[in-house]
Amino acid sequence: MLKIVFFNGMENNLEILDLSEMSLKSSPSSLPRLVKLQMLCLNGLSRDIALLGRLKNLEILSLYGIEELAPEIRELTSLRLLDLENCTNLRVIPPNVISKLT
């Protein structure tokens, strides 16, 4: 089985990542290793969004086509903008997720 390693060698350099135009079935498991990531755009990955809670430097998060907001979003302490404008199918926002964001 071939294992593809995304973002290899970019862990300490990548600050902006836009995957909004990509149709991914799941988010790359190496995503939380992008320690300097400040802006992220994702398309329809609601079941893997829990990984995002580890992106402590994330300031801008744009989500597209998700149906459920993960509770781990509340752990994004540096978040300045949460863009859900293109989430017309958003049905579930767990308690205290929005209120915990500063």
Side-chain angles (χ1 to χ4, degrees):
M1 174 183 263
L2 178 65
K3 182 177 180 182
I4 298 173
V5 180
F6 284 91
F7 318 120
N8 193 18
M10 294 186 237
E11 295 88 350
N12 295 313
N13 298 315
L14 194 61
E15 294 180 5
I16 298 172
L17 180 61
D18 185 349
L19 299 173
S20 62
E21 296 296 322
M22 297 184 72
S23 181
L24 299 173
K25 293 185 189 245
S26 63
S27 60
S29 60
S30 57
L31 193 61
R33 294 175 48 201
L34 300 175
V35 294
K36 290 200 173 188
L37 197 63
Q38 294 176 4
M39 179 179 172
L40 177 63
C41 302
L42 285 176
N43 184 6
L45 297 174
S46 59
R47 66 181 176 269
D48 294 331
I49 228 161
L51 292 173
L52 301 182
R54 295 192 232 156
L55 297 172
K56 300 301 180 189
N57 290 320
L58 199 61
E59 294 181 9
I60 300 170
L61 177 59
S62 292
L63 300 173
Y64 297 80
I66 65 165
E67 295 178 6
E68 182 174 343
L69 196 59
E72 289 80 5
I73 295 295
R74 71 175 68 115
E75 298 171 23
L76 299 175
T77 55
S78 297
L79 199 64
R80 304 265 185 258
L81 174 66
L82 176 60
D83 179 5
L84 302 172
E85 183 177 355
N86 293 305
C87 296
T88 56
N89 293 328
L90 183 62
R91 302 285 182 249
V92 178
I93 300 175
N96 301 316
V97 171
I98 301 295
S99 64
K100 290 289 182 183
L101 297 174
T102 53

